[in-house]
Amino acid sequence: ATTTSGTSFTFTGIPAGVYEVNLLLNGVRVDGGYGWFLRLGTSSGIVSSGYQNQGAQSLLSGQNAALPNVASDFDTGFSAMNDGQKCFGIMKLTRSTENSNTWIYNLHMTGKANNSTSYTANQTQLAGGQISLSGELTQIQIIRERDGKYFTHGSATITWSQ
């Protein structure tokens, strides 16, 4: 597990031939209520274009919204959180076929206010998408949405299957 702090963190050392990667998030939060994004990388570096994704946000207050299709990253949708919410959930990446460098993205997360004892302050994010990389997936980066904002809470763990 990695404690989330600073403006981004990168998991490296993903071996060739991996067909599934899971990023488990436990109480991750960015100060000021801003969100964060997921980017993939090869041995050449982090990729910042070519992402295709769509998702939805559902709040128990009845407010629902579609997440934008952002070509520069996979959007987690947590940019609408208030300053007190933390994210819990999983981001799953699956190779589309055995010899392909196309990855399918699936996200299911919940945000809950720090002081909430009920689920009325929660929101749920569901998203999916894909990206075709130029080579083997070797790294995953989580980066905050806005300059001047930092990861302040939580931890993230990465697992993979070959």
Side-chain angles (χ1 to χ4, degrees):
T2 297
T3 301
T4 54
S5 62
T7 59
S8 69
F9 56 99
T10 304
F11 292 96
T12 60
I14 299 171
V18 164
Y19 68 86
E20 183 177 278
V21 179
N22 293 303
L23 179 62
L24 310 171
L25 303 157
N26 184 14
V28 174
R29 180 167 73 92
V30 174
D31 68 328
Y34 286 96
W36 42 276
F37 307 111
L38 179 73
R39 289 184 176 159
L40 308 184
T42 66
S43 60
S44 299
I46 297 295
V47 177
S48 60
S49 64
Y51 295 85
Q52 298 176 13
N53 61 119
Q54 194 66 46
Q57 175 185 65
S58 177
L59 303 171
L60 287 180
S61 63
Q63 299 172 335
N64 300 307
L67 302 180
N69 183 357
V70 180
S72 61
D73 48 55
F74 286 133
D75 188 350
T76 64
F78 274 91
S79 59
M81 292 178 65
N82 67 44
D83 192 30
Q85 285 187 314
K86 297 177 182 178
C87 303
F88 300 88
I90 186 169
M91 295 176 168
K92 182 176 183 176
L93 297 162
T94 306
R95 189 185 294 259
S96 65
T97 62
E98 185 177 345
N99 296 315
S100 170
N101 288 318
T102 297
W103 289 86
I104 307 302
Y105 163 73
N106 186 330
L107 164 81
H108 184 196
M109 289 193 298
T110 298
K112 185 174 181 181
N114 292 341
N115 58 358
S116 175
T117 57
S118 71
Y119 288 96
T120 58
N122 280 9
Q123 66 181 17
T124 299
Q125 309 294 99
L126 302 171
Q130 68 95 19
I131 185 170
S132 293
L133 300 175
S134 62
E136 287 281 340
L137 175 68
T138 62
Q139 55 189 320
I140 296 175
Q141 180 183 63
I142 298 177
I143 186 168
R144 51 68 175 125
E145 177 184 21
R146 298 271 191 258
D147 289 339
K149 300 298 177 183
Y150 299 91
F151 289 99
T152 58
H153 290 86
S155 64
T157 303
I158 189 172
T159 63
W160 56 73
S161 301
Q162 286 185 294

